[in-house]
Amino acid sequence: MTAAVFFGCAFIAFGPAFSLFIFTIAKDPLRVIILIAGAFFWLVSLLLSSLVWFIATKATNAQDLTLQKNLLIFGSIFSVILQEVFRFAYYRLLRKANEGLAAISEEDGPALSVREMAYVAGLGFGIMSGAFSMINTLSDSLGPGTVGMFGDSQYYFITSALMTLALTLLHTFWGVVFFEGCERKRWWVIAVVLCLHLMVFSLSLLNPFYVGSILPVYAIMLLMAVWAFFSSGGSLHNITLLWTCRKSNTETSS
Amino acid sequence: MVLESSKWVMFIVCWLFKNVSCNSVAQKIYVELNNTVPCVRLLNATHQIGCQSSISGDTGVIHVLESEADLEWPLSKGPNPPYMVLLESSLFTKSIMMKMKNASSRVAGVVVVPKTSLPEFSPHTTCPNENTGVYTETYDHNLAHCNTTVWNPRGNGLSYEEFDFPVFSLKEDNETEIIKQCYFDHNRVVNGSGLQYPLCAMQLFSHMYAVTDTATCMRRSSIDFSSFPVKVCEPLGGYNVLAFIRPYNSTAFGHKENESVVIAAARLDSRAFFLEDSAGAEGSVSGFVTLLAAAQALREATQEAPPTRNILFAFFNGEVFDYIGSSRMVYDMKNNKFVIDLDNVHSILEIGQVAVRSGTNLFLHSDPVSRRNNTVHDEVTNLVKNLQSSTAGLNFSFVETGFSQPLPPSSFQRFLRARAIPGIVLADHQTAFNNRYYESFYDNAAHLNLTYPSNLSPEEQLEFVTDTAKSLTEVATAVARALFKQAGGNNSQVNNINADPKTVTQMLYGFLVRSNNSWFQAVMAPELKDVLQPNPPWYYVGVAKLSHQANALTYLVQYLLANLTGTATNLTQSQCKKPDELPNESTYMYSYFWVQGVVPPNSTQRESFCIRTAVRLAKAVSPAFVLGDYVSKEYSTWTESQWKFIKARIFLVASRDLEMLTLGVGVAVLFTSLLVTYFVSTKADVLFSVVREPNNAAY
């Protein structure tokens, strides 16, 4: 549409990821490395799954639209499964590489705990996934026109940005929960993450019925936020501690 | 930039996925309009005319204009300026365009849809080429600036106005339907209630590089910054097509002793408001087709019994833009750069607009000022006598106009500027033009009543002799006979000189209906067959190309004239390329063209052959560019601006409120996330209790 929409959508889609990066990742070079490597793993999974989809579409009739749509759905499901497989592969890689990371880190002992790695890896997946979802749409939002000539909704850009935001945060939370589950050998966690990922994908198929797709996705995101909070060592006790700490701080300072 | 590289990635991915339609978001937004004709900017020594868009295109909400009163909506009442006004050609009038020009802050551009025609419309000026003809203040004060006769009274001068918004013309009907559908779906005002966003809008790109005038843009073009100098504007020009009956050695320039030449001239080019849409049926085609037919009629008679004087058939290009072709020829003659000079010119007969008669007479225009000299007057009277006696047995006659009337705009005026040469201009109008559509895109085949019975195939239409063709044939016969007599030919041969109506009707079909027909294909060279299209050729002279390339019209006239006046030889194709190796052939005297030839009925191979002809092309670029005098008042200084790309597209625009809402939400999300993340990260040790692993050292 215009610069206003471009910046608005860019901030919506990448604002949280950007702030997470600045405040938690940018200072530690090791975290940056794990973030980039995580993004790369996601990218490879997308590449392999898109290869499968590409071969499938080339091998079939390009004019048959329902077939192409079904192939797209099949390709996306395959991509979701492959993303989780690569997440698991990244977990294994990080566990194995812990020794090497310890060697190059400045502190003694383990450089990063598994939880930190989980969070960073999840964020890496999220950023790359968000970038691939949103950059193309963002670049077209700079022009003077908006979507709608062929019957699409005019809220296309803002809902794409909201969806990207949700997906980025979801990938982060899934990363935390997933690694924790693998660490504790709770394999059902992996299955639940996979199912939730597939559910989010199928909700996105409901577009342009945005009420039916965005609201449930945000509900799932809040659920995952709570789960990730608890699985990374948080608890209600800590929250109350925080609150009283603040209260006592304000009392002492005043 | 990240966006550009990702756009490139998407582009490459899309290109790879060519068979599957790439669902880029841009495809959901924009509909590109492919068949558009823009109005471009032309400059001369003092002005710039035409249209300009801003460098990133002009966007406006589409409004389909229904009548002149409806102009209130885009100009004052409408709540969402700027507007892109869509007009049918019947509303494309000077008053509407000037109203929009005056309110140009609310008008983003104009799109014209050619449909019904007006009863009369001429966007040219009322006095064409008034400053570069012979009638200046010094020549004759009473005749200057069309004081006696206004030649084009219907002229509204629209082509010479300057607009600071783009004006486009749509060619196809499919695209117009899409635009109108979009307008009716989104932009219609429903009973006084406000318009609902999103609205249908159009963006036009036609940014022109040149500004102000020719001197400025030529100066800017000559700055040599890099190895790829950017040309800001290019001079207009092309080629004149010339053919002598008895050719001279083409390398021997200057005066030829004891040679006297009669020049038979006609104009090739024409224009319209949208330069690519120029038709010029009555304005130029009627004249040069008649001259081509006369050249064919004279061929046998002049070969059997060559007349005393030579005859030069001259087809001048660029005449609409201040006589580019004829001024260059006169300049070359004066400076010994042409095979003859002005002393060799005996008289001139020019064929003007001859197809729309208002009676059975054609008029002979002459210049009253030069006729004050007795010798010139006697020669002109002699020429008039030859012309009038040539119509014996034909269905029309030549009538002289009054003495005090000046010449209409014609190439002959440029010769008169140099020397008082006797001459006549033939025209179908006695005073003002009969042409209601002078230099406009309505001056097409329909204007000449070129109608064919509906059940004919294109090839049959090519052969069908229309009434227009019959009347032009008679004119051509009279012209040929008059030229023969004027050149001192034997009077007994005169009645054998007849123009061929079949040739004339085939030429009219090829030049006004469809240039890709079997006769034109037979006449053209094999390497030029792409010049033939299913439409008529362009009549706009265009920019002078650096290489020896001419435009389609020039090639067509060149090869037609070669076919009609040349002789077929039995040289082979390789001999045709290098005829000097043969004893009797000489490229100094003749040109040799290898032409495709006809397809005989029982085979598929064309019978190509080599034609030897005296036809030559002479460069027709204004002497102002040769002399480097870009502010010349003497010669044409017209240039055309260069541009990068010209395109048009339609899309929907969203309301400002939605855009601001998106920006607001974005900024809010960004700030909230920054605050929350900062807060959580500083309190992370409190919020997330670390579980001490029992075996640290293993890591």
Side-chain angles (χ1 to χ4, degrees):
Chain A
M1 278 146 76
T2 44
V5 171
F6 171 75
F7 281 112
C9 289
F11 290 159
I12 293 176
F14 299 116
F18 174 70
S19 50
L20 284 172
F21 179 81
I22 287 189
F23 287 121
T24 56
I25 304 207
K27 279 177 286 195
D28 188 357
L30 218 49
R31 293 187 187 185
V32 174
I33 293 173
I34 297 184
L35 181 86
I36 304 285
F40 177 70
F41 265 69
W42 187 89
L43 204 54
V44 173
S45 80
L46 182 73
L47 178 69
L48 290 175
S49 53
S50 65
L51 235 122
V52 168
W53 172 77
F54 182 62
I55 293 173
T57 48
K58 281 297 186 191
T60 58
N61 180 16
Q63 308 302 325
D64 186 358
L65 288 172
T66 39
L67 178 64
Q68 295 300 324
K69 181 148 194 245
N70 290 338
L71 275 178
L72 192 65
I73 294 178
F74 157 71
S76 306
I77 294 179
F78 184 69
S79 173
V80 166
I81 297 173
L82 208 58
Q83 282 174 41
E84 299 306 328
V85 165
F86 269 71
R87 208 195 295 270
F88 183 70
Y90 195 43
Y91 165 75
R92 299 288 299 210
L93 179 72
L94 283 176
R95 292 287 272 131
K96 283 210 173 134
N98 231 351
E99 287 175 26
L101 289 175
I104 64 171
S105 84
E106 293 161 349
E107 308 154 16
D108 299 323
L112 291 175
S113 74
V114 177
R115 278 185 191 152
E116 289 169 358
M117 288 197 293
Y119 157 68
V120 174
L123 186 61
F125 269 50
I127 288 180
M128 203 41 139
S129 161
F132 262 72
S133 306
M134 201 59 199
I135 295 279
N136 180 30
T137 317
L138 267 184
S139 73
D140 285 320
S141 73
L142 263 180
T146 184
V147 175
M149 192 73 147
F150 299 101
D152 306 294
S153 155
Q154 57 166 331
Y155 298 108
Y156 181 83
F157 288 115
I158 194 169
T159 50
S160 301
L162 288 170
M163 201 65 173
T164 306
L165 164 63
L167 204 57
T168 308
L169 292 177
L170 272 172
H171 268 291
T172 315
F173 300 145
W174 283 331
V176 171
V177 163
F178 191 99
F179 277 37
E180 202 60 30
C182 289
E183 201 60 15
R184 306 243 180 276
K185 308 267 188 271
R186 291 179 194 156
W187 307 114
W188 57 269
V189 171
I190 299 179
V192 169
V193 166
L194 182 65
C195 285
L196 281 176
H197 198 164
L198 282 171
M199 194 185 304
V200 167
F201 157 69
S202 45
L203 283 172
S204 76
L205 286 174
L206 285 177
N207 284 335
F209 179 51
Y210 294 124
V211 177
S213 67
I214 300 237
L215 293 178
V217 166
Y218 270 76
I220 294 179
M221 184 183 86
L222 285 171
L223 224 88
M224 286 306 307
V226 170
W227 187 2
F229 177 68
F230 283 117
S231 94
S232 57
S235 61
L236 286 171
H237 174 69
N238 288 348
I239 296 182
T240 50
L241 214 69
L242 186 71
W243 184 247
T244 53
C245 230
R246 271 185 82 210
K247 221 174 154 200
S248 68
N249 268 344
T250 52
E251 278 178 2
T252 50
S253 62
S254 67
Chain B
M1 246 188 75
V2 175
L3 288 176
E4 275 195 19
S5 57
S6 58
K7 233 188 160 146
W8 267 111
V9 168
M10 275 316 291
F11 175 73
I12 292 172
V13 169
C14 283
W15 180 73
L16 289 173
F17 285 13
K18 233 188 200 162
N19 287 340
V20 179
S21 71
C22 193
N23 283 322
S24 147
V25 179
Q27 281 185 334
K28 284 185 198 270
I29 304 181
Y30 302 108
V31 175
E32 304 279 342
L33 302 174
N34 288 327
N35 289 328
T36 51
V37 180
C39 145
V40 298
R41 176 174 272 174
L42 295 172
L43 306 101
N44 70 358
T46 48
H47 289 88
Q48 56 180 14
I49 64 173
C51 320
Q52 167 77 306
S53 84
S54 63
I55 195 162
S56 51
D58 281 309
T59 312
V61 173
I62 297 181
H63 177 75
V64 174
L65 202 68
E66 279 147 31
S67 64
E68 185 154 355
D70 197 19
L71 258 185
E72 263 191 359
W73 181 261
L75 294 187
S76 46
K77 276 194 341 200
N80 327 92
Y83 285 92
M84 186 71 68
V85 180
L86 198 83
L87 324 151
E88 287 202 352
S89 46
S90 51
L91 287 170
F92 184 59
T93 59
K94 175 139 190 192
S95 65
I96 291 183
M97 288 303 286
M98 294 316 278
K99 281 189 193 161
M100 288 200 281
K101 176 176 168 171
N102 290 334
S104 68
S105 60
R106 283 183 64 104
V107 174
V110 176
V111 177
V112 180
V113 176
K115 237 183 184 172
T116 51
S117 60
L118 293 163
E120 59 180 40
F121 178 72
S122 169
H124 211 76
T125 47
T126 47
C127 193
N129 291 344
E130 68 182 281
N131 296 319
T132 42
V134 72
Y135 298 107
T136 53
E137 299 283 342
T138 43
Y139 192 71
D140 188 316
H141 167 69
N142 292 328
L143 301 176
H145 303 300
C146 293
N147 274 337
T148 27
T149 315
V150 178
W151 295 110
N152 187 23
R154 302 172 189 91
N156 53 30
L158 205 54
S159 293
Y160 290 84
E161 289 286 339
E162 184 196 341
F163 296 100
D164 58 1
F165 48 75
V167 181
F168 275 50
S169 167
L170 289 181
K171 268 198 252 181
E172 246 189 51
D173 262 323
N174 274 347
E175 291 178 344
T176 325
E177 279 316 304
I178 295 176
I179 298 175
K180 288 201 172 151
Q181 192 59 41
C182 184
Y183 172 75
F184 285 125
D185 288 341
H186 297 103
N187 291 14
R188 283 293 244 166
V189 184
V190 181
N191 284 342
S193 65
L195 287 174
Q196 294 283 335
Y197 272 98
L199 293 176
C200 196
M202 191 188 296
Q203 186 175 34
L204 298 178
F205 294 84
S206 68
H207 180 71
M208 302 283 140
Y209 290 153
V211 282
T212 323
D213 56 23
T214 294
T216 312
C217 80
M218 291 302 284
R219 185 185 75 225
R220 290 180 186 176
S221 296
S222 65
I223 298 175
D224 205 14
F225 276 131
S226 68
S227 49
F228 302 103
V230 172
K231 289 279 177 196
V232 172
C233 65
E234 294 274 8
L236 294 185
Y239 287 91
N240 296 327
V241 181
L242 308 169
F244 283 94
I245 287 196
R246 263 185 297 111
Y248 299 111
N249 185 332
S250 61
T251 51
F253 294 147
H255 184 72
K256 295 269 179 312
E257 281 299 323
N258 297 333
E259 286 289 334
S260 179
V261 180
V262 176
I263 299 184
R267 180 183 103 177
L268 280 182
D269 70 318
S270 126
R271 72 161 295 180
F273 182 81
F274 298 104
L275 294 169
E276 291 171 17
D277 264 348
S278 43
E282 152 81 336
S284 55
V285 177
S286 62
F288 75 74
V289 162
T290 310
L291 191 57
L292 283 170
Q296 182 194 34
L298 273 176
R299 169 185 167 180
E300 281 191 29
T302 51
Q303 275 175 359
E304 285 174 10
T308 16
R309 299 194 182 102
N310 205 344
I311 302 180
L312 169 62
F313 295 107
F315 296 86
F316 293 115
N317 213 343
E319 297 300 277
V320 173
F321 293 102
D322 289 335
Y323 304 121
I324 297 179
S326 50
S327 65
R328 179 58 183 263
M329 169 168 261
V330 173
Y331 174 82
D332 284 344
M333 281 184 180
K334 278 183 6 184
N335 292 296
N336 292 334
K337 292 203 180 98
F338 192 63
V339 291
I340 55 172
D341 77 349
L342 286 167
D343 291 324
N344 291 120
V345 177
H346 174 261
S347 49
I348 298 181
L349 173 62
E350 179 166 344
I351 308 186
Q353 307 177 72
V354 290
V356 177
R357 291 190 225 158
S358 55
T360 52
N361 293 332
L362 280 180
F363 297 95
L364 306 175
H365 296 257
S366 59
D367 170 48
V369 177
S370 59
R371 280 180 89 167
R372 292 179 198 147
N373 175 320
N374 282 329
T375 18
V376 173
H377 176 74
D378 291 337
E379 282 295 341
V380 174
T381 320
N382 191 25
L383 179 51
V384 168
K385 193 162 67 74
N386 282 336
L387 278 164
Q388 285 176 331
S389 59
S390 304
T391 57
L394 299 171
N395 289 336
F396 72 101
S397 53
F398 287 125
V399 172
E400 269 195 270
T401 57
F403 257 59
S404 60
Q405 174 151 278
L407 286 173
S410 51
S411 317
F412 176 38
Q413 288 197 23
R414 291 299 304 197
F415 286 86
L416 277 178
R417 257 176 101 118
R419 181 159 314 192
I421 299 178
I424 289 279
V425 176
L426 282 186
D428 53 24
H429 53 90
Q430 186 172 20
T431 49
F433 292 154
N434 287 343
N435 189 349
R436 304 192 311 272
Y437 301 123
Y438 186 64
E439 308 299 1
S440 106
F441 72 115
Y442 298 117
D443 190 10
N444 50 18
H447 179 219
L448 290 188
N449 286 334
L450 220 61
T451 46
Y452 298 95
S454 48
N455 54 347
L456 293 182
S457 71
E459 284 305 313
E460 287 165 2
Q461 283 180 354
L462 175 69
E463 311 272 326
F464 181 78
V465 180
T466 53
D467 291 334
T468 324
K470 286 182 195 155
S471 70
L472 284 184
T473 313
E474 293 200 331
V475 180
T477 305
V479 165
R481 290 179 184 175
L483 279 174
F484 189 69
K485 283 189 261 190
Q486 184 74 1
N490 193 341
N491 266 332
S492 60
Q493 300 286 329
V494 167
N495 287 332
N496 297 336
I497 298 174
N498 286 306
D500 182 9
K502 192 154 151 309
T503 315
V504 174
T505 194
Q506 284 179 328
M507 285 197 284
L508 284 177
Y509 181 79
F511 283 113
L512 293 175
V513 181
R514 166 191 213 95
S515 61
N516 191 7
N517 55 61
S518 60
W519 188 48
F520 277 24
Q521 283 168 2
V523 157
M524 289 299 280
E527 64 267 14
L528 288 174
K529 59 177 188 317
D530 294 331
V531 145
L532 301 174
Q533 300 285 328
N535 313 315
W538 282 4
Y539 290 93
Y540 169 53
V541 63
V543 297
K545 299 183 180 58
L546 285 174
S547 57
H548 289 281
Q549 267 187 322
N551 65 2
L553 179 65
T554 313
Y555 283 131
L556 281 173
V557 172
Q558 177 190 20
Y559 278 83
L560 270 176
L561 190 60
N563 176 289
L564 296 174
T565 58
T567 37
T569 61
N570 42 15
L571 272 61
T572 62
Q573 190 169 7
S574 50
Q575 284 175 330
C576 203
K577 287 200 176 69
K578 295 197 176 139
D580 287 317
E581 293 162 10
L582 296 166
N584 290 336
E585 313 288 1
S586 156
T587 49
Y588 291 129
M589 305 291 278
Y590 296 102
S591 315
Y592 294 84
F593 300 133
W594 182 257
V595 299
Q596 291 196 107
V598 293
V599 182
N602 285 338
S603 83
T604 49
Q605 272 290 86
R606 287 188 177 274
E607 292 175 344
S608 307
F609 61 98
C610 185
I611 194 164
R612 173 180 60 217
T613 169
V615 174
R616 294 207 181 267
L617 292 182
K619 214 153 175 45
V621 175
S622 170
F625 296 100
V626 172
L627 298 167
D629 177 14
Y630 304 130
V631 292
S632 167
K633 288 192 181 24
E634 173 90 6
Y635 300 113
S636 161
T637 47
W638 285 105
T639 52
E640 182 185 278
S641 168
Q642 298 285 81
W643 59 83
K644 194 165 181 188
F645 53 74
I646 291 193
K647 53 181 190 173
R649 56 186 183 179
I650 56 172
F651 44 85
L652 295 182
V653 284
S655 65
R656 200 96 182 110
D657 296 336
L658 181 61
E659 295 177 9
M660 287 305 146
L661 173 73
T662 312
L663 183 63
V665 169
V667 170
V669 163
L670 181 68
F671 274 124
T672 319
S673 61
L674 281 170
L675 281 171
V676 169
T677 312
Y678 177 71
F679 182 67
V680 169
S681 70
T682 45
K683 303 287 182 210
D685 47 353
V686 176
L687 279 173
F688 302 103
S689 32
V690 178
V691 174
R692 290 271 161 238
E693 302 285 327
N695 39 353
N696 293 0
Y699 304 135

